[in-house]
Amino acid sequence: ERAKGKTVEVGRAHFETSVKRYTVLDAPGHKNYVPNMIAGAAQADVGVLVIAARKGEFETGFDRGGQTREHAQLAKTLGVAKLVVVVNK
């Protein structure tokens, strides 16, 4: 995973406050690993969708069949109630 610079498996981390316990899932975004992304999103209450700000990549993600668009639609279909969108330069 690290050598390729891509998330393949769903990573997990936990932390808690005095009143709540949180689990953070890092799901893959690459098109070859969409089934793993679905597995992670199916467990989520809130999602964070990180998208590229590079000219061309940003626009392509929102085109018909684009990955950004697909991931947002999958998250909604899987019951993710809130989706935070982060634009990464």
Side-chain angles (χ1 to χ4, degrees), residues 21-79:
R21 179 173 164 79
Y22 297 90
T23 302
V24 178
L25 302 171
D26 179 16
H30 191 273
K31 64 183 177 183
N32 292 341
Y33 308 110
V34 169
N36 296 1
M37 176 270 183
I38 291 170
Q43 302 173 57
D45 296 317
V46 176
V48 178
L49 181 62
V50 180
I51 59 176
R54 281 193 205 130
K55 188 173 182 174
E57 285 184 37
F58 181 86
E59 294 81 1
T60 301
F62 287 99
D63 286 343
R64 187 178 192 106
Q67 281 187 259
T68 303
R69 185 178 186 161
E70 178 184 17
H71 289 319
Q73 289 172 331
L74 283 170
K76 182 176 180 175
T77 301
L78 293 166

